[in-house]
Amino acid sequence: MADLTSNFLGIKSPNPFWLASAPPTDKEYNVRRAFEAGWGGVVWKTLGEEGPPVVNVNGPRYGAIHGADRRLLGLNNIELITDRPLQQNLEEITRVKKDYPDRAIIVSLMVPCEEQPWKDILKAVETTGADGVELNFGCPHGMAERGMGGAVGQVPEYIEMVTRWCKENTKMPVIVKLTPNITDIRKPAEAALRGGADAVSLINTINSITTVDLDAMAPEPTIDGKGTHGGYCGPAVKPIALNMVAEIARNPETANLPISGIGGVTTWRDAAEFMALGCGNVQVCTAVMTYGFKIVEEMITGLSQWMDEKGYTSVDDFIGMAVPNVTDWQYLNLNFITKAVINQDACIECGRCYAACEDTSHQAIEMSEDRKFSVKDDECVACNLCVNVCPVEGCITMKQVMPGELDERTGQKVPAEYGNWTEHPNNPGNTCASGK
Amino acid sequence: MPNSQMTPGIAPGRLPKDAYAKNFSDLHAPLDAHEAAVAADRCYFCYDAPCQTACPTSIDIPMFIRQISTGLAEAAATKIFEENILGGMCARVCPTETLCEEVCVREVAEGKPVEIGRLQRYATDAMMEKGVHPFERAEPTGKKVAVVGAGPAGLSCAHRLAMHGHDVVILDGREKAGGLNEYGIAAYKSVNDFAHREVEWLMQIGGITMEYGKRLGDGMSLADLTGSYDAVFLAIGLGGVNALRADGEDLDGVLDAVDFIAELRQADDLSKLPVGRNVVVIGGGMTAVDAAVQSKLLGAEHVSMVYRRGKERMAASEYEQELATAKGVTIIYNAQPVAIHGDGAVREVEFEYTVEEDGKLRGTGEMFRIPADQVFKAIGQTLEGVPDGVAVERGKIVVNEHGRTSQDGVWAGGDCASGGDDLTVTAVAEGRDAAIDINATLMA
């Protein structure tokens, strides 16, 4: 069985599966259960400054998007940071860390944008024996209205400033948690790096309204007839998170900045994908809020089985391996040509590929009198839509037209050499000598 | 001492009082909203869907299932009723396993079709339970049409004609409308008086008058009808029953299965309905299965269903055969009745094993006997009471693709007419299509 031991910023944990700062990590009781279930670490739910704690709504805090069998696909929440006294949280963190010295405990923090409150809380956290802190610059609701959370994360200068204060006032590793509610994720990551951050974690939740109650004419969750935007998470946000992670991982300025991946991680495979795109570990929330802590067992056995199959002995072996293969559109090889092929033995003749191609795409699928579906190579642009709408996995595949062979659609032979848009004759910006 | 399954002869109340309600409850429980959503989600929304092609009434199945999945059960029902006004009954009695569900791509791919029948019931129940009728009658045309027979074909034809604004009179020989829906199918497929409620719901369209106790040839001739109506639709079903032509057929306890089923369907208290300790059903169609299974459910100790040909030739679908065996019926294939023995009342039925060679059936000479207190004959029904002047071939009224008979102004459909396959859903389609042709003819 592969060794899943993780070393993130010098913080050791028996596996790279941490629980994200969220309701599952709000108190000692939950965190002990999480560690007993096998989680490698937790980011303790965000602490605020000393004094009366924040107050949560007492109506519903969550909204959800379901599949047909009520499979939870996306979750949205309007919960704030911990609503328990600071001192109580600190005492609990101390006790749990003492009892689980091999697990990682990171403490998430959010205090007003002044240096003193940050100094004070860092000092308090250091007494607990926690392994590090995570700066919550992402929470999109409630706290942002008070100038914290997402309000900081949307202004790179503030990120840099607060990060610098923290680095100047503690020896603990500092992870900066980023909000996805911005236009270019690289800017806040660069700011965190300039401020001295040891790592970034992303994504925090996405501004969202999950549903509208069409009887009450109000967004859900609805509290006394009103609703507000919440933070969206769960399997539905994973593609967005993967892209943002990749953007930071392949950005030359932040390429060496460690990343803790967050956003819809539900299975070992999700975790492996985040790590392949450069994450040193992953943080999980919605999946445990849906299924409970036990799922980590599947993640541990799944990841190690896959690593064994691939011959990876340590998670470091594959972290970031997919990053070099993430590129800009303009560098994709336009001379790589494929055609869809329908396996007639696997085809169940539902005709979805036909409807999709005929109605919405390239009219490249033929339907015979006796309901057989086949690809017209002279029309197929290899868009892959038929593959995606086909209900039978592996029934439709893309077959490469090899260099030298005829592309029936263009009537041209497929070139052997790589050729991208930057050098294409149709590109007005093409400065290469192309005959002109 | 109360009767039991062991009580000899023919006796009522063989089971504990509370067993009847359970035995004759819904064969398939209705889907609840969540089950319907999950079942609907399995539909692939096929292009030019095979299920729709297989449906004799061509219901747009993918569309109504999609409507269910988006929470629009009543819109789904309207979609169904547009093509099949008896969509509620068809959802219960259609042999979906040999129609829409047989060709469902998921049946082909994984042996587990989308549950089209149950979804159709979910949608149609949703609308019918609210008492909502989705269609409105067109302005009256002043034309009058007589429909003879209030079974599925007649009801379907009448409804469509009424929608077009014609005045329709349905004439039926029995005391209730519904035909085989009311008298002829197993009780557990149409619980809570559904056949009757469906007729009442259908009649909400308006413009339809029902007259009971009216039979052709019984003080009413086709000439009378063609003289007083602008068109006539014959949906008289198959009123006769084939004889066994075996010795002893006249013994007490030897009955037509259709009569037994009709009596059972009309019984107020099933515990008072007598049934034999040993029951033998002769035949291999749906009527045979319905009689055999219901005998068992009434408390018969042994029920045998004997069919003269092999399993694969049986008209009852494999699903129906499995239902019968699951309920405790013994099915004996390749045996034909030779004689019924008894002294006044039946005691035994004697059979001869058969083999089928090149489509020809012959007895092997080997005989066996089965004890029987009751024998139900279910070897097919025959056309009866066809008025003179209407051509009949091979036991069916000859009709063209629009349901026109050989006589001008007279249409026919359902089991009495040629071309169908004696299914409720086919009868509905034929009634509807004849109505469309009648309307076109009358309004030309």
Side-chain angles (χ1 to χ4, degrees), chain A residues 253-270:
Chain A
E253 281 201 44
T254 52
N256 294 318
L257 181 62
I259 305 170
S260 183
I262 313 168
V265 177
T266 307
T267 67
W268 70 267
R269 180 181 290 274
D270 298 327

Side-chain angles (χ1 to χ4, degrees), chain A residues 68-70 348-352 354-355 367 371 391, chain B residues 34 37-38 41 44-50 105 109:
Chain A
D69 202 6
R70 292 209 38 104
I348 61 171
E349 297 170 9
C350 68
R352 277 168 67 156
Y354 177 79
M367 177 176 168
R371 216 179 160 77
Chain B
H34 177 73
V38 174
D41 190 57
Y44 286 149
F45 203 75
C46 292
Y47 181 82
D48 190 15
V105 298

Side-chain angles (χ1 to χ4, degrees), chain B residues 253-272:
Chain B
V254 182
L255 302 164
D256 289 329
V258 288
D259 292 338
F260 167 69
I261 294 168
E263 191 184 355
L264 188 150
R265 283 293 302 278
Q266 300 306 314
D268 292 328
D269 183 353
L270 290 172
S271 70
K272 295 197 171 122

